[in-house]
Amino acid sequence: MKHLLYIIIAACIGLAACDFETSDNGDLDGFWQLQQMDTLATGSSGDMRYSKIVCAVQVRLMEFRKSDDTGTGILFRFEQRNDSLVLTNPVQNNRNISDSLVSNPATLVHYGMTATTGKDGKLEVKFLIETLNDSRMILSNESYRLHFRKY
């Protein structure tokens, strides 16, 4: 009986020490593979299935990277508002050296992003959410339309 009491006390202390952060991102949470990138100015479409560009979304972080390159990528904080998605504070995630703030918008073009300078002087990327469900996501900005599939 005394042994059971110690287990219960230890479990209560362990659970009290944990702080779980939950996500209210709905269908946005998860792993997405870039399937197609449309260039709106020219009307051209590019098959991106073999580019291996993926997007991972969890809580308030979003990462874009090549799936076969786990050492680098771009991390963002994001905010989802109705039919818009705003990515802020881009950080180059380089596990071999150190993380660094992205200040050159050209770094993001590879991922179909056009960045502007936000109020805080840091880059921000804005997308219109055209489609978002449990299997597909289509994001667009003034230059590109990105088609993703969830996996």
Side-chain angles (χ1 to χ4, degrees):
M1 181 69 173
K2 192 174 185 182
H3 183 63
L4 181 61
L5 182 61
Y6 288 135
I7 292 173
I8 292 172
I9 291 172
C12 289
I13 291 171
L15 290 174
C18 295
D19 184 21
F20 293 107
E21 189 169 349
T22 60
S23 172
D24 60 352
N25 296 327
D27 288 331
L28 185 60
D29 273 340
F31 294 97
W32 298 89
Q33 178 191 20
L34 182 60
Q35 297 279 292
Q36 178 180 325
M37 184 185 311
D38 303 334
T39 304
L40 301 179
T42 62
S44 63
S45 294
D47 184 355
M48 301 297 287
R49 289 178 291 177
Y50 303 105
S51 71
K52 300 181 180 179
I53 293 176
V54 295
C55 172
V57 181
Q58 185 176 17
V59 187
R60 292 286 167 238
L61 286 177
M62 184 176 281
E63 179 185 27
F64 284 82
R65 65 177 169 84
K66 285 193 160 197
S67 63
D68 59 352
D69 185 9
T70 58
T72 61
I74 307 285
L75 288 167
F76 295 90
R77 295 224 176 259
F78 75 91
E79 187 175 337
Q80 182 182 2
R81 302 179 203 136
N82 298 322
D83 63 347
S84 68
L85 185 64
V86 180
L87 312 179
T88 58
N89 300 323
V91 173
Q92 180 80 43
N93 179 15
N94 190 333
R95 295 180 186 172
N96 298 326
I97 302 171
S98 68
D99 297 346
S100 60
L101 194 62
V102 175
S103 58
N104 184 355
T107 307
L108 306 176
V109 171
H110 175 71
Y111 298 104
M113 299 180 196
T114 52
T116 58
T117 304
K119 295 176 186 176
D120 59 0
K122 297 177 183 170
L123 295 180
E124 81 177 17
V125 177
K126 295 180 181 178
F127 284 109
L128 173 67
I129 301 171
E130 293 184 12
T131 301
L132 178 60
N133 57 43
D134 62 348
S135 62
R136 290 187 42 197
M137 174 171 66
I138 300 174
L139 303 176
S140 65
N141 56 30
E142 62 275 359
S143 301
Y144 302 101
R145 179 175 295 117
L146 309 174
H147 300 257
F148 294 89
R149 76 167 177 98
K150 191 176 250 183
Y151 69 98

